[in-house]
Amino acid sequence: MKYVALALAGALTLSAGSVAADTAKEEDCGHQAAIVSAIQKARMDRVKERKVQEAVLAGEVTWPERYNAAIPLFTGEIYKLKKRDLRKTDLGAQWKAACLAN
């Protein structure tokens, strides 16, 4: 009986750690998706590529400051896409799905 209780406690600890990791990953992917969406909006609003970071940070920022370093990285890739393709696509949702799949 004692061994069963120890095994059950160990299993619960592992599953709690897994839930915490899943929650952290979902939060991280959500922040990244918010940045991607903000950059997509800037692109659709005809913000020049060199002014994107300034424009994005002037808007409603919902992510921690440490994520701001990703803005220039994502900007270059999003600005390579054609606007007509961006009109039909929710890049933020796509990014979050791809991020959570990894």
Side-chain angles (χ1 to χ4, degrees):
M1 185 68 159
K2 188 177 188 180
Y3 295 110
V4 172
L6 287 174
L8 183 59
L12 288 174
T13 302
L14 288 176
S15 67
S18 177
V19 169
D22 288 345
T23 301
K25 183 173 184 175
E26 189 164 329
E27 186 176 316
D28 180 55
C29 291
H31 292 319
Q32 292 179 33
I35 292 168
V36 168
S37 293
I39 295 169
Q40 181 178 8
K41 182 180 179 331
R43 173 84 165 112
M44 297 310 298
D45 291 345
R46 298 183 175 157
V47 174
K48 294 190 185 293
E49 187 173 353
R50 66 180 183 272
K51 301 260 185 184
V52 169
Q53 185 157 1
E54 181 182 317
V56 167
L57 295 177
E60 183 180 335
V61 176
T62 59
W63 54 84
E65 188 176 330
R66 69 178 189 265
Y67 285 85
N68 292 345
I71 295 171
L73 300 173
F74 293 155
T75 298
E77 295 305 312
I78 293 171
Y79 270 65
K80 288 179 186 175
L81 302 172
K82 296 183 187 228
K83 279 188 181 181
R84 69 172 180 248
D85 295 335
L86 290 176
R87 284 187 197 101
K88 303 178 224 174
T89 307
D90 181 355
L91 288 181
Q94 285 185 355
W95 183 271
K96 187 171 185 178
C99 180
L100 289 172
N102 288 329

